[in-house]
Amino acid sequence: MESSLAPTSILIVEDEGLIALDIETHLLNLGYQIAGIAETGRLAIQRALASPPPDLILMDIRLKGDMDGIEAASEISAQVDIPIVFLTAFSDENTLNKAKLVSPFAYIRKPFDTADLHISIEIALQKHCSEKIIKQQKNWLNTVLESIGDAVVTTDNDGKITFVNRVAESITQWIKSETLGRPINDVVSLVDRDKNSIENPIFQALRTGQGEPLPEGTLLITKNQQEVPVEDSAVLILDDTQHAHGAVIVFRDVSERVAAKQQLFNHAYYDALTNLPNRSLFVDRLQHLVDLNRRYPNCQFAVLFVDLDRFKIVNDSLGHPIGDQLLIAAAKRLQKCLRPTDTVSRFGGDEFAILLEQCPDFEFVYKLADRINRELSVPYHLSNYNLFSSASIGIVQGQSQYETAEDMVRDADIAMYQAKANGKGRYAIFDDAMHTQVKRRLTLENDLRQAVSDNALTIHYQPIVSLADSAIVGFEALARWEHPEQGLISPDIFIPIAEETGLIVQLDQWVLRQACQQIKVWQDRFSAKAKLGVSVNLSSYHFSQMDVVEQVKQALADAALSAASLRLELTESTLIENTESVAQILLELKNLGIEIYIDDFGTGYSSLSYLHKYPISTLKIDRSFIHHIDSNTDQFEIVRTIIILAKALNMTAIAEGVETEEEIEAIRGLGCEYVQGYYFHRPLTCNQVTTLLENCS
């Protein structure tokens, strides 16, 4: 088996041409590679510094020019790490002494024996390799000692310093060059709490073989007479024969730990960003009122759970520093709304909780919630940005049936989510129906998670029809969930749950794979329908996934489906809220040949800027504009405008939710090319689509 290693390359430095050629012949016969021949010292330096450098240099001492081999070797060694072997006729003591100064790896006299030359070269190479390993280990050790967080000081057997790392310099305030050779007590001077001197553990280790840990409260006196609380450990430095060559002390500055103990309460019970009470302190105060209310039911109090609306958009678009400024400003406004006896706490993220003690009546609570939203809605002026915010507020009243503070917080949180679902910027009061609804939703969420994991959902396909000839040109793939106990669950219910839980990514990927495979089956079976395409909805959550393009490519490859047969439907909010990542991803998808549709167009931002920015091919007009278009003038004008806009931008338009003949005629009159709706077909199962295509063939 041949070695995969390249032969050793050797640079020959010799001013006699015939001798150089003779050396070259010997080296080649020995299996070496010749990196070149140099006649002068300066040429030798040039060749040594070339890329790639030689593995070894055979250097004659007497050379042509103004530089001999020893000078050349010295210059080379100062710049690169290449083993040098002197091969020369000179062996006088003066020459040898000069040669020693450059630490050659061998010194061979001419005339040489080939075997001796071979042995000397191999020994030199091996010695160089060993020295490199030693240097690497030394560098590694120095790097470790300089990078660890503890101070390290070593001494000889007399307690005089031989090494200090950067951390030790920083703590003691001594510079390394000042410490070397000094007694350890000069640099690491230790005293107890009463300023009495303490024996350095180094001397304990040298005397007994093991240093005792410093007593708690030990202080190190720095060069500038500052006091630093420290902890330490000290051990002997032993060689491989277990003889001591000194000792090492490792110590650390524990000032932060001491300060942390002093600030323990503040850290445990207050939020670092806003300096408001945190959840622990809030719950502690609330539990006191809950217990009091169970003994004295007339003790009126309430909890408000406040969540800033759309705070994530601020963080994602302007960055966390601006988000933090917004949280600090919101905290100050909340405090401004409250009485001194009330408590406002930051629970984390953009969530705050308010404890209102001794409420005169609950009308007072509702008025306060309105005031909070007015205060929070005033524009914030932060770092040259004008930001607008509102809050969703959940309210729960202190009642005797509550046994724990956490139960009240839970119910206030539930009410807050109800307020957010009602449209944000408002408050909701907790009632038992909310709790029942949340429990039902949680059960449904768990069932959905299981259904997605088990691939227990199905896909229905709604045909997209050309108005020109009523021909089916494609299908939209729609996920359907037949719950084993509750029957068919509306997508309006389970899709939002999937989005909130993150299941939407897994669900959409499953729909994508299944739809690609199914449309390929229909294309192959009905050759006349080879141009049939399939539309798949893609949630905005996909655009935070690094592999979204690869997932789409893989689905197409697994189904052996042309990219031209796939359309991906996105909502307007996806484009607006993910501007940095969406443009590149959509361009990559477009370059594959995939068409990009905007679903429910007209219900979101409807901004002309993103229609130009992204590679969009089709606008799907939302069904809310199609319903009664034949009798509603405003809706008619909206649809007409969308169709004109689509044509002006070289896009097609698809009208969704068409149900009546009158709607069809109105849409046809406006020049819309494609429709989708119950007038032609409801969403169909795979078998129903197959039957439909058979009848159309």
Side-chain angles (χ1 to χ4, degrees), residues 181-451:
R182 279 184 177 273
I184 184 69
N185 283 339
D186 286 359
V187 177
V188 185
S189 175
L190 303 172
V191 298
D192 61 19
R193 288 170 176 163
D194 297 325
K195 307 301 184 294
N196 298 314
S197 294
I198 297 175
E199 182 183 27
N200 195 294
I202 282 279
F203 293 110
Q204 297 176 17
L206 291 171
R207 187 175 63 252
T208 66
Q210 182 66 49
E212 291 293 328
L214 290 169
E216 186 177 352
T218 296
L219 301 173
L220 182 147
I221 307 302
T222 71
K223 183 180 180 182
N224 296 327
Q225 299 304 303
Q226 294 176 337
E227 299 175 355
V228 179
V230 293
E231 290 180 350
D232 86 306
S233 61
V235 294
L236 290 176
I237 300 174
L238 304 175
D239 61 18
D240 55 0
T241 63
Q242 300 302 299
H243 286 97
H245 287 270
V248 57
I249 182 173
V250 179
F251 58 94
R252 64 195 60 85
D253 180 351
V254 294
S255 300
E256 292 185 4
R257 187 188 306 172
V258 172
K261 289 180 179 179
Q262 296 173 349
Q263 299 173 2
L264 183 60
F265 181 84
N266 202 45
H267 281 286
Y269 293 107
Y270 284 86
D271 174 58
L273 178 66
T274 62
N275 204 34
L276 293 177
N278 64 12
R279 181 183 186 120
S280 297
L281 183 53
F282 181 90
V283 169
D284 182 71
R285 292 181 179 177
L286 177 58
Q287 186 63 52
H288 172 73
L289 286 181
V290 169
D291 294 340
L292 191 64
N293 191 53
R294 290 177 63 80
R295 294 177 60 189
Y296 306 102
N298 292 328
C299 175
Q300 299 262 350
F301 68 99
V303 172
L304 282 69
F305 203 90
V306 182
D307 182 88
L308 301 184
D309 296 326
R310 301 174 69 82
F311 176 76
K312 183 177 184 299
I313 295 177
V314 175
N315 260 354
D316 292 346
S317 60
L318 302 181
H320 289 276
I322 300 298
D324 287 348
Q325 290 183 42
L326 177 58
L327 290 173
I328 294 169
K332 291 179 179 178
R333 293 188 184 184
L334 288 173
Q335 288 176 301
K336 179 182 175 182
C337 294
L338 303 179
R339 301 167 300 176
T341 55
D342 300 327
T343 300
V344 56
S345 160
R346 184 185 175 209
F347 264 39
D350 60 342
E351 294 179 336
F352 298 86
I354 296 172
L355 175 58
L356 301 178
E357 300 187 36
Q358 298 178 347
C359 302
D361 52 51
F362 287 108
E363 186 67 26
F364 167 82
V365 179
Y366 310 145
K367 288 181 178 179
L368 175 64
D370 284 330
R371 182 186 174 190
I372 288 173
N373 250 326
R374 287 196 304 272
E375 286 288 339
L376 295 181
S377 298
V378 175
Y380 296 83
H381 305 290
L382 304 173
S383 298
N384 298 322
Y385 294 103
N386 289 328
L387 303 180
F388 296 85
S389 182
S390 61
S392 298
I393 304 173
I395 301 173
V396 62
Q397 302 172 2
Q399 298 174 354
S400 57
Q401 71 264 29
Y402 284 110
E403 295 184 1
T404 69
E406 291 290 356
D407 287 344
M408 281 197 71
V409 171
R410 176 203 63 204
D411 290 349
D413 193 20
I414 290 172
M416 181 274 292
Y417 276 105
Q418 184 61 53
K420 196 173 287 289
N422 291 344
K424 303 182 177 63
R426 60 191 66 196
Y427 66 82
I429 303 164
F430 177 81
D431 57 34
D432 291 338
M434 285 185 190
H435 195 193
T436 302
Q437 182 181 354
V438 168
K439 290 177 65 176
R440 185 184 301 119
R441 182 183 174 87
L442 181 60
T443 300
L444 200 61
E445 176 187 320
N446 292 334
D447 292 346
L448 177 61
R449 193 178 299 277
Q450 189 65 46

Side-chain angles (χ1 to χ4, degrees), residues 552-619:
V552 174
K553 289 169 66 176
Q554 190 62 51
L556 291 170
D558 291 345
L561 182 68
S562 166
S565 299
L566 178 62
R567 300 89 165 89
L568 295 176
E569 297 193 10
L570 287 69
T571 61
E572 295 175 83
S573 60
T574 298
L575 303 179
I576 298 300
E577 296 178 7
N578 300 272
T579 53
E580 293 184 5
S581 59
V582 168
Q584 181 60 36
I585 292 173
L586 292 188
L587 183 59
E588 292 180 34
L589 293 170
K590 183 70 173 179
N591 290 339
L592 293 176
I594 297 168
E595 292 189 30
I596 307 299
Y597 287 12
I598 301 301
D599 195 17
D600 302 332
F601 185 78
T603 61
Y605 298 89
S606 304
S607 170
L608 289 175
S609 62
Y610 78 72
L611 292 179
H612 281 288
K613 182 176 182 179
Y614 301 110
I616 299 164
S617 62
T618 300
L619 304 179

